[in-house]
Amino acid sequence: MLPFCYHTTTALFRRKNRILFCTMKSTQAQSATQEKPPAQIKVSSHPNARAIDKISKDYEAVIGIETHVQLSTLTKAFCSCPYNYGSPPNTSVCPVCMGLPGALPVLNSKVIECALKVGLALNCKLSLNSKFDRKQYFYPDLPKGYQISQFDIPIATGGYIDLDLPLEYGGGHRKFGITRVHMEEDAGKLLHSESGSYSQVDLNRAGVPLLEIVSEPDMRTGIEAAEYAAELQRLVRYLGVSNGNMQEGSLRCDVNVSIRPIGQLEFGTKVEIKNLNSFSSMGRAIDFEIARQALLLSQGRGDEIVQETRLWEEGGQKTVTMRKKEGLADYRYFPEPDLPGVSLTQEFVDSIHTSLPELPEMKRRRYEQMGLSMQDVLFLANDINVADFFDATIAKGSDVKLAANWIMGDIAAYMKNEKLTINEIKITPQELSELIGSIKSGTISGKIGKEILFELLAKGGTVKGIIKEKDLVQIVDPAEIEKMVDTVLSENPKQLEQYRGGKTKLQGFFAGQIMKMSKGKANPGILNKILLEKLNAKS
């Protein structure tokens, strides 16, 4: 009989020595905030702030990240079970992903395609002949007692990723090395009781395909690490291989941090940090850990920095020990006997390469060449759907900077207020281009343009249709505008006398009255020219 089964109510009783490492109460307190850039951490919040500021100048951090990306395939890696986040426990399982005796895995070919896309996008060298291996370890949510992974011949090695730091964090270009990318399957999930006396096992996630991306230890600050992780998220979303949502566990990062005196080549003792549920928490956790280790070294307590796994406590804004690592784990890898080797032809790899979309780094450089500022570039290229909307708008002939301003300004504000994505708003790139063109040509004013924009965002329709329906064509006839100016001046003699007496700020009052009379349709340039002539005319 199996030591445990896989019904929803299944629990592991009195096995605390096997489940304590997973009792992380703080994981529910922090939600992912991918949309926000990682916050720069000021060590001044630490009790020994001044001391740490001084100490940190003497030490250099060395940071590497292991990232697990859950692939958006229709079925799991080695069976035909689907995986849908949030499904009731143990409703997407079969003998293969449950690890029942005699069940044999069959590789999902889409996993190979996804791995190749990511490997190529990360500028890696690909292995045309690779294999799967068994990685032996024993956790309650790993029913087979081993994980199918890749060991000595991963599918991709020796790459790099380029990114641009946001201006608020100093700006600049960064290039970080990628050690390897390999394919593997996910384990299940433990659901802990409130009392902590038992845990239930949900195997829906068991067998879900993952890519593990291992960076070189090239990062030096929490900001760099958080931006690296954000760029990976951006990359997998551009490629369409994963939704990259941290709150769903589709993108999980384990960070390794050590410090060393500046100038020393040898690495310090590495500490792993888990429970990083957002990019901002990643930055804060790393900066805290750097400060913690630097303080210990400066006090002559370097032996207290041990190789261990620590958790980030969002509530306390600190890392705490999760488990010690007394030595390297012996996973007893050996080639997976139930799966054949993975052999790829160069023609197949080339076909995958030609299918790749324009990647974030390429898009940022193209936008820069258009004359956009780095702030514009980073905003537009951050989300592939926003970038596609922008590209479609300028493809219709719109001015590049004007299109960027409308998308980053009123459209972005509307999406934020209404909690919508750019794919959910009613306006199309064609109509935004038409709106920009109508303002630029003088058909409508900028003020009326905004009114039309908000109607298009909420209800849809066409610019020409709204202009015609509401008679919004801008008044550009100087004679007609002059009549309005004369009327407003004659109706406000007191204000006119005050203006000519030196209160020139009243020009705005007169302009507002004229615009009100014209229902916002008077051409501002013509209006102000005629108004100034009339105001400054000798009485």
Side-chain angles (χ1 to χ4, degrees):
M1 182 177 176
L2 290 173
F4 52 87
C5 58
Y6 304 98
H7 299 294
T8 305
T9 54
T10 300
L12 299 180
F13 294 96
R14 294 183 297 278
R15 303 291 291 276
K16 292 183 180 179
N17 62 316
R18 298 182 69 178
I19 64 174
L20 274 176
F21 72 93
C22 279
T23 54
M24 299 181 286
K25 295 181 180 178
S26 61
T27 56
Q28 297 175 354
Q30 171 69 20
S31 60
T33 54
Q34 297 98 311
E35 296 77 9
K36 297 180 181 178
Q40 187 166 14
I41 307 312
K42 298 186 182 299
V43 183
S44 56
S45 61
H46 194 280
N48 300 307
R50 291 183 182 177
I52 293 172
D53 281 337
K54 183 177 182 301
I55 294 161
S56 298
K57 294 176 183 176
D58 300 327
Y59 296 97
E60 175 186 55
V62 179
I63 304 164
I65 301 180
E66 298 170 8
T67 306
H68 286 90
V69 177
Q70 181 179 298
L71 301 179
S72 298
T73 54
L74 294 176
T75 59
K76 295 183 182 181
F78 304 111
C79 67
S80 59
C81 292
Y83 175 72
N84 296 304
Y85 177 77
S87 296
N90 299 310
T91 55
S92 294
V93 294
C94 72
V96 174
C97 53
M98 291 169 67
L100 298 184
L104 296 175
V106 177
L107 176 62
N108 181 348
S109 62
K110 288 293 181 182
V111 178
I112 300 288
E113 292 182 26
C114 292
L116 288 176
K117 287 180 179 180
V118 172
L120 289 166
L122 291 174
N123 308 289
C124 291
K125 178 183 177 182
L126 301 180
S127 300
L128 294 182
N129 294 289
S130 63
K131 63 181 175 64
F132 285 98
D133 301 276
R134 286 190 181 183
K135 179 182 180 182
Q136 319 285 328
Y137 61 98
F138 300 95
Y139 287 153
D141 55 2
L142 190 70
K144 294 193 292 284
Y146 63 84
Q147 177 190 38
I148 300 177
S149 182
Q150 290 190 298
F151 177 47
D152 54 331
I153 312 178
I155 195 164
T157 55
Y160 62 88
I161 189 170
D162 289 292
L163 58 92
D164 296 286
L165 290 183
L167 298 178
E168 60 265 35
Y169 304 131
H173 190 78
R174 297 289 190 278
K175 182 176 181 177
F176 300 123
I178 302 294
T179 305
R180 59 186 281 154
V181 179
H182 65 258
M183 302 173 284
E184 62 185 23
E185 63 177 337
D186 208 346
K189 186 177 181 180
L190 291 178
L191 307 174
H192 305 295
S193 67
E194 291 185 7
S195 65
S197 59
Y198 67 91
S199 294
Q200 296 174 305
V201 183
D202 177 12
L203 292 180
N204 279 347
R205 203 173 65 183
V208 167
L210 302 176
L211 290 183
E212 182 171 348
I213 303 169
V214 182
S215 80
E216 291 289 327
D218 290 346
M219 288 149 267
R220 297 293 177 263
T221 67
I223 291 300
E224 288 185 350
E227 286 300 319
Y228 162 86
E231 183 71 3
L232 274 187
Q233 182 192 62
R234 211 171 284 126
L235 187 74
V236 298
R237 286 176 171 175
Y238 267 61
L239 293 170
V241 301
S242 174
N243 64 27
N245 292 339
M246 294 186 80
Q247 71 270 31
E248 295 181 9
S250 298
L251 188 106
R252 289 169 260 161
C253 296
D254 295 335
V255 179
N256 294 304
V257 181
S258 66
I259 66 169
R260 61 188 177 187
I262 291 175
Q264 177 180 303
L265 295 179
E266 183 183 353
F267 290 161
T269 302
K270 179 176 65 177
V271 172
E272 182 183 42
I273 309 174
K274 288 184 178 288
N275 192 33
L276 301 172
N277 297 329
S278 71
F279 301 136
S280 58
S281 66
M282 181 183 296
R284 291 195 299 275
I286 290 170
D287 285 345
F288 176 90
E289 187 59 27
I290 292 171
R292 184 187 74 87
Q293 293 185 28
L295 190 61
L296 288 173
L297 282 178
S298 70
Q299 295 174 345
R301 299 158 57 196
D303 57 337
E304 294 181 32
I305 303 173
V306 297
Q307 190 169 341
E308 62 177 337
T309 298
R310 296 177 71 87
L311 294 179
W312 172 245
E313 279 192 352
E314 190 64 36
Q317 292 289 294
K318 63 181 180 179
T319 63
V320 295
T321 298
M322 175 182 174
R323 59 173 177 258
K324 304 285 185 183
K325 290 187 176 180
E326 297 180 356
L328 291 175
D330 181 10
Y331 292 120
R332 297 184 294 118
Y333 284 99
F334 64 85
E336 170 56 61
D338 293 334
L339 287 169
V342 179
S343 296
L344 306 170
T345 64
Q346 190 60 50
E347 289 77 15
F348 179 66
V349 172
D350 291 341
S351 70
I352 296 293
H353 194 274
T354 55
S355 73
L356 295 182
E358 183 181 38
L359 298 173
E361 170 66 7
M362 300 158 58
K363 200 174 285 290
R364 288 193 294 266
R365 301 288 77 83
R366 177 165 65 86
Y367 288 170
E368 266 193 309
Q369 291 171 4
M370 291 179 179
L372 292 174
S373 69
M374 182 52 66
Q375 183 179 7
D376 296 347
V377 167
L378 291 176
F379 180 94
L380 294 170
N382 181 58
D383 184 329
I384 187 172
N385 296 315
V386 172
D388 287 345
F389 191 96
F390 171 72
D391 286 338
T393 301
I394 61 175
K396 301 295 182 182
S398 286
D399 178 273
V400 170
K401 182 58 179 173
L402 289 176
N405 288 347
W406 281 93
I407 292 171
M408 294 172 61
D410 292 304
I411 293 177
Y414 177 84
M415 291 192 299
K416 182 178 180 180
N417 290 336
E418 300 297 324
K419 296 181 172 57
L420 298 173
T421 67
I422 202 159
N423 291 338
E424 294 170 327
I425 60 177
K426 304 291 185 182
I427 192 173
T428 64
Q430 169 71 44
E431 291 309 313
L432 178 59
S433 178
E434 183 73 32
L435 182 65
I436 294 169
S438 298
I439 297 170
K440 199 171 182 181
S441 67
T443 304
I444 58 174
S445 66
K447 181 181 178 183
I448 288 177
K450 283 200 173 190
E451 294 174 8
I452 293 175
L453 173 72
F454 289 123
E455 183 161 343
L456 290 171
L457 285 168
K459 301 178 182 178
T462 65
V463 174
K464 289 180 178 177
I466 295 173
I467 291 174
K468 184 177 180 181
E469 177 190 345
K470 299 190 176 182
D471 187 23
L472 298 175
V473 176
Q474 188 168 228
I475 299 170
V476 294
D477 182 359
E480 189 175 349
I481 294 175
E482 185 176 3
K483 288 179 183 177
M484 296 184 201
V485 173
D486 290 338
T487 300
V488 169
L489 293 181
S490 64
E491 290 177 351
N492 297 278
K494 184 178 178 181
Q495 287 83 353
L496 179 58
E497 183 181 346
Q498 289 174 337
Y499 175 88
R500 289 173 175 169
K503 291 187 176 181
T504 55
K505 289 184 179 180
L506 283 169
Q507 180 189 343
F509 164 76
F510 290 114
Q513 293 300 306
I514 297 163
M515 289 300 287
K516 185 177 179 181
M517 180 179 290
S518 70
K519 297 180 180 178
K521 294 191 290 181
N523 181 284
I526 299 174
L527 183 156
N528 283 310
K529 182 182 178 184
I530 295 173
L531 177 61
L532 274 174
E533 289 174 356
K534 297 278 186 179
L535 287 172
N536 297 325
K538 293 180 180 179
S539 53

